[in-house]
């Protein structure tokens, strides 16, 4: 039987959102292939001819070890993973019965990725936007039909509250579109059921038509993402039906908007979690600079950007730990890999080295401890290969001093608190930002809480730590103008890390010690200190605003360098800022310096 070739593309996503001309061009340049039962379409490691779409038949997908991965039927496609990775097959495809396939040539597939955003978003789950799309991946020009769920859950106005609630529970959703005669007549949400039904003790067999929102706000498929955001903000909505000629065609929720903003980072995490080699991980992390540009351009606040970037580092580290266990065998004792520094605080940017250590269980024999030397070296080397360069100060698990049992770590902290010399202050500053990454987290739980308690109770130690926190000065001159580095390759710039962000990081750490606060992230520490009354409301609010401005300016600077195909750094030339921007940046540094002075004089602490 002859099949009408245009038919399958006309209703198969993402081809259905392309123009008729684009679909016609695809068909003219593609090839129809008939494959017999048990015939291999391609094998692992082979160069792929293109992307395959199943018009009829069944195709099995197996990995390099012939382990079954999936069984695909009509309208499914396969081969995209290999096409996105140098065009080499990452699995094997075999016809389980006679098949008819449409093969879209590899070159055409790559062209479609760069020219059609829906096509790119559907297939490229790596988080890497093609160059032609990098600047456009934001809500101002993404169409609603690429954000919305195309098969929203619906019910009739006569559906009972109980049945509607069960449907929402079973589908894990928070609203239902109410449809009658094929047209949208209302929307009912969990909030409607709580506020209008439960609160008024309505019977469970009450029709949803009695509590639904009639004539809800809607948008057409031609709307853009910013239309959704603005309407949601104006009317305080969490769900927006998408309607065409009165008929429901989809729905967009706040979750969809959040998912769009974070989709690239999420796919980075997924790829890293399933990477099979260090080389795979390096390919993933090499795209982090582009991710930073995308996240900054999308208007995300600095702490959101750094959190998403740190999430990738965490997953990469855990994947390396699993690879190390596979290479060296099961660990002979319980361990916990810890991150400190910016990774510990979840504040990594486009420029990050590695700071880490290993905590081992007490009672481990010397022979078993030998296992962890090559183990730590493997992980540290892998992190370096992924762009997290070796720590210049050797604050790494590969240093024997930082690969010790729990009791030794406990002694470290006790000695630093009891005798807070210069080195002790420096080490304590780093180690108070420790965060578990992989392994047995119980090894650190008691140690963390006990150390915080002991540190807060020792006034001499906290005084020394406060003094240490003031060693990083803000770039302000005698008349409170901005001062820059005077010599060297970074002449006439401000170090936005050492003299911008770090002073606030130090303040946040001090507030956490004073209040025995468990938070590690600097912004979270500042907010927790405000709530706990450790800093005044006015001073705390000003410091938060100042930190946000400094940290955001630093990220904007890095993103601008990346867009210029330069390596990101922390050295900002004030001359590149407008007078307005320089004025606000100076005011932010004034606030930070004021809070540093208040910390030393005791005005930052409320009795």
């Amino acid at each position: 039987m002859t099949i009408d070739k245009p038919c399958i593309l006309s209703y198969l996503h993402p081809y259905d959102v392309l123009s008729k001309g684009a679909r016609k061009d695809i068909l003219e340049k593609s090839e129809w292939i008939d494959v017999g039962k048990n015939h291999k379409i391609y094998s692992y490691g082979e160069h792929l001819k293109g992307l395959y779409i199943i018009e009829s038949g069944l195709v099995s997908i197996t990995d390099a070890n012939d382990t079954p991965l999936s069984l695909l039927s009509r309208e499914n496609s396969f081969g995209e993973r290999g096409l996105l990775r140098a065009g080499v097959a990452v699995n094997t495809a075999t016809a389980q019965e006679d098949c008819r396939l449409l093969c879209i040539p590899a070159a055409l597939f790559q062209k479609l990725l760069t020219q059609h955003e829906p096509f790119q978003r559907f297939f490229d789950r790596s988080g890497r936007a093609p160059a032609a799309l990098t600047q456009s991946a934001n809500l101002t020009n993404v169409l609603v039909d690429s954000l919305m769920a195309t098969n929203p859950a619906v019910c009739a106005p006569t559906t009972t509250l109980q049945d509607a609630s069960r449907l929402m529970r079973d589908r894990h959703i928070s609203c239902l579109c109410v449809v009658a005669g094929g047209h949208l007549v209302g929307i009912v949400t969990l909030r409607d059921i709580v506020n209008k039904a439960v609160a008024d003790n309505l019977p469970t067999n009450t029709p949803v038509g009695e509590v639904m929102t009639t004539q809800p706000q809607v948008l057409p498929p031609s709307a853009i993402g910013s239309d959704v955001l603005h309407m949601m903000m104006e009317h305080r909505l969490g769900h927006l039906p998408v309607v065409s000629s009165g008929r429901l065609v989809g729905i967009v929720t706040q979750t969809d908007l959040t998912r769009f903003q974070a989709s690239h980072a999420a796919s980075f995490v997924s790829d890293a979690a399933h990477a099979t080699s260090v080389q795979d991980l390096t390919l993933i992390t090499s795209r982090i600079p582009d991710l930073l540009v995308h996240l900054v351009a999308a208007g995300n606040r600095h702490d959101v950007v750094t959190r998403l970037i740190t999430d990738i580092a965490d997953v990469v580290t855990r994947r390396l730990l699993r690879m190390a266990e596979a290479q060296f065998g099961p660990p002979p004792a319980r361990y916990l890999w810890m991150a400190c520094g910016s990774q510990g605080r979840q504040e990594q940017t486009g420029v990050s080295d590695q700071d880490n250590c290993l905590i081992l269980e007490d009672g481990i024999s010397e022979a078993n401890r030998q296992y962890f030397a090559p183990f730590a070296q493997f992980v540290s080397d892998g992190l370096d290969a992924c762009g997290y360069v070796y720590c210049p100060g050797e604050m790494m698990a590969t240093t024997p001093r930082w690969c010790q049992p729990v009791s030794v770590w406990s002694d470290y902290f006790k000695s630093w608190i009891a005798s807070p010399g210069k080195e002790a202050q420096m080490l304590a500053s780093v180690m108070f930002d420790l965060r578990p990454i992989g392994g047995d987290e119980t090894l650190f739980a008691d140690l963390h809480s006990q150390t915080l308690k002991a540190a807060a109770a020792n006034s001499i130690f906290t005084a020394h730590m406060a003094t240490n926190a003031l060693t990083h000065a803000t770039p302000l001159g005698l008349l409170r103008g901005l001062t820059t580095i005077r010599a060297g390759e970074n002449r006439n710039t401000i170090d936005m890390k050492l003299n911008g962000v770090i002073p606030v990081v130090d303040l946040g750490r001090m507030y956490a010690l004073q209040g025995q606060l468990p938070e590690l992230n600097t912004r979270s520490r500042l907010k927790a200190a405000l709530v706990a009354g450790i800093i005044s409301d006015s001073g705390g609010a000003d410091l938060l605003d100042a930190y946000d401005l400094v940290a955001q300016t630093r990220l904007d600077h890095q993103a601008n360098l990346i867009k210029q195909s330069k390596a990101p750094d922390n050295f900002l030339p004030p001359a590149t800022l407008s007078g307005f921007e320089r004025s606000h940046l100076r005011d932010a540094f004034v606030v930070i310096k004021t809070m540093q002075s208040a910390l030393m004089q005791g005005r930052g602490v409320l009795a």
Side-chain angles (χ1 to χ4, degrees):
M1 179 177 65
T2 302
I3 302 295
D4 182 11
K5 294 180 182 179
C7 179
I8 192 169
L9 296 187
S10 64
Y11 59 78
L12 186 62
H13 194 69
Y15 311 91
D16 58 341
V17 298
L18 304 181
S19 67
K20 290 183 179 179
R23 289 198 296 268
K24 181 181 178 182
D25 184 62
I26 293 173
L27 284 167
E28 289 177 348
K29 295 178 179 178
S30 300
E31 178 185 4
W32 286 94
I33 302 173
D34 293 309
V35 182
K37 181 179 180 180
N38 297 327
H39 180 79
K40 275 191 171 53
I41 301 162
Y42 60 74
S43 298
Y44 176 86
E46 289 183 359
H47 187 77
L48 288 165
K49 291 178 58 178
L51 175 76
Y52 296 88
I53 301 173
I54 304 173
E55 195 279 327
S56 63
L58 291 174
V59 175
S60 65
I61 306 296
T62 56
D63 64 13
N65 300 314
D66 288 328
T67 301
L69 298 176
S70 58
L71 184 64
L72 306 178
S73 58
R74 174 178 166 81
E75 298 177 11
N76 280 283
S77 60
F78 56 96
E80 66 270 16
R81 288 186 60 204
L83 291 173
L84 293 169
R85 300 186 182 188
V88 177
V90 296
N91 46 45
T92 296
T94 306
Q96 291 301 299
E97 59 185 41
D98 291 347
C99 295
R100 184 165 176 77
L101 311 174
L102 179 65
C103 179
I104 299 177
L108 178 57
F109 175 84
Q110 297 296 339
K111 183 179 179 181
L112 291 168
L113 281 178
T114 60
Q115 293 185 347
H116 300 282
E117 187 172 356
F119 194 90
Q120 183 272 331
R121 186 180 299 110
F122 182 82
F123 283 109
D124 188 359
R125 300 180 177 91
S126 67
R128 172 182 54 82
L133 297 178
T134 300
Q135 299 303 320
S136 63
N138 58 70
L139 289 175
T140 61
N141 52 28
V142 61
L143 292 176
V144 165
D145 64 5
S146 62
L147 290 173
M148 69 185 187
T150 56
N151 188 29
V154 300
C155 69
T158 55
T159 303
T160 66
L161 291 175
Q162 184 175 56
D163 288 341
S165 300
R166 286 173 175 169
L167 181 57
M168 283 190 264
R169 178 199 64 190
D170 294 343
R171 296 279 295 269
H172 304 288
I173 55 177
S174 56
C175 78
L176 292 173
C177 294
V178 185
V179 176
H183 291 267
L184 179 73
V185 296
I187 185 172
V188 60
T189 67
L190 285 177
R191 180 180 296 180
D192 291 328
I193 293 176
V194 171
N195 293 343
K196 301 177 183 178
V198 177
D200 293 335
N201 199 29
L202 295 182
T204 58
N205 61 355
T206 301
V208 296
E210 294 187 18
V211 300
M212 71 181 185
T213 299
T214 57
Q215 297 182 328
Q217 298 287 337
V218 299
L219 283 172
S222 58
I224 60 176
S226 57
D227 293 333
V228 178
L229 180 62
H230 295 162
M231 186 171 286
M232 285 183 171
M233 293 177 66
E234 179 181 357
H235 299 284
R236 297 184 179 181
L237 303 173
H239 315 82
L240 264 177
V242 181
V243 174
S244 178
S245 301
R247 294 187 175 275
L248 179 70
V249 295
I251 190 167
V252 184
T253 68
Q254 288 179 342
T255 302
D256 294 323
L257 296 184
T258 303
R259 186 181 296 116
F260 172 79
Q261 298 288 2
S263 61
H264 291 313
S267 57
F268 270 65
V269 167
S270 176
D271 283 354
H274 297 93
T276 59
S277 67
V278 173
Q279 184 179 8
D280 284 348
L281 290 174
T282 63
L283 292 174
I284 295 166
T285 56
S286 68
R287 302 195 300 270
I288 288 178
D290 290 334
L291 172 66
L292 185 147
V293 171
H294 167 75
L295 292 173
V296 171
N300 291 286
R301 199 171 61 191
H302 67 91
D303 54 316
V304 175
V305 176
T306 56
R307 172 63 181 268
L308 292 173
I309 290 176
T310 305
D311 285 348
I312 297 170
D314 290 354
V315 176
V316 167
T317 304
R318 284 191 285 269
R319 192 72 192 107
L320 288 167
L321 290 172
R322 299 289 83 77
M323 290 179 184
E325 290 180 0
Q327 178 160 330
F328 299 108
R334 291 183 299 141
Y335 73 88
L336 178 59
W337 186 278
M338 305 284 290
C340 44
S342 59
Q343 185 181 2
R345 298 189 305 273
Q346 297 178 301
E347 294 168 1
Q348 288 190 313
T349 65
V351 186
S352 297
D353 59 3
Q354 56 174 290
D355 299 286
N356 46 63
C357 62
L358 264 174
I359 298 179
L360 309 177
E361 69 172 311
D362 283 332
I364 183 174
S365 68
E366 188 61 34
N368 284 339
R369 286 186 63 171
Q370 300 305 311
Y371 167 93
F372 290 98
F375 178 91
Q377 192 67 56
F378 177 93
V379 177
S380 184
D381 290 346
L383 289 171
D384 181 72
C386 290
Y388 307 105
V389 298
Y390 301 118
C391 174
E394 297 187 344
M395 186 69 69
M396 297 178 293
T398 51
T399 304
R401 186 181 184 185
W402 310 130
C403 180
Q404 295 290 337
V406 176
S407 57
V408 175
W409 280 102
S410 180
D411 290 341
Y412 284 164
F413 281 106
K414 288 177 182 177
S415 65
W416 296 336
I417 294 170
S419 304
K422 287 292 184 183
E423 184 189 40
Q425 294 171 36
M426 183 274 291
L427 293 174
S429 294
V430 174
M431 295 303 180
F432 274 118
D433 296 342
L434 282 172
R435 183 170 61 89
I437 301 297
D440 190 338
E441 296 190 14
T442 62
L443 296 174
F444 183 65
D446 291 341
L447 179 61
H448 183 231
S449 58
Q450 292 168 5
T451 301
L452 270 179
K453 184 177 180 180
N458 190 318
S459 58
I460 296 177
F461 173 76
T462 55
H464 279 281
M465 288 293 289
T467 302
N468 183 68
L470 301 181
T471 59
H472 297 112
T474 55
L476 291 173
L478 292 177
L479 300 178
R480 293 197 169 183
L482 293 176
T483 60
T484 60
I485 299 172
R486 295 185 177 181
E489 62 177 328
N490 298 312
R491 184 171 176 267
N492 296 328
T493 67
I494 297 172
D495 189 334
M496 293 297 290
K497 176 183 178 182
L498 193 64
N499 302 118
V501 171
I502 293 300
V504 187
V505 170
D506 290 338
L507 287 172
R509 186 183 299 112
M510 276 306 305
Y511 300 150
L513 287 177
Q514 292 170 344
Q516 299 182 47
L517 306 174
E519 285 78 8
L520 296 174
N521 175 265
T522 298
R523 199 174 195 281
S524 298
R525 281 171 166 171
L526 298 183
K527 292 177 69 176
L530 262 171
V531 173
I534 296 169
I535 50 178
S536 66
D537 289 344
S538 59
D542 286 346
L543 184 57
L544 268 171
D545 288 343
Y547 177 57
D548 285 343
L549 178 62
V550 171
Q552 195 68 50
T553 302
R554 178 194 181 200
L555 273 187
D556 289 344
H557 167 67
Q558 292 188 4
N560 286 333
L561 288 176
I562 294 167
K563 286 188 288 186
Q564 298 170 36
S565 299
K566 298 178 181 178
D569 62 33
N570 295 302
F571 301 100
L572 171 70
T576 61
L577 302 176
S578 68
F580 180 82
E581 291 170 325
R582 286 196 298 272
S583 176
H584 278 272
L585 190 59
R586 183 191 64 240
D587 291 344
F589 287 133
V590 169
V591 169
I592 296 169
K593 187 172 184 177
T594 300
M595 294 302 287
Q596 286 180 317
S597 300
L599 174 70
M600 199 60 190
Q601 298 172 16
R603 291 201 301 267
V605 181
L606 299 181

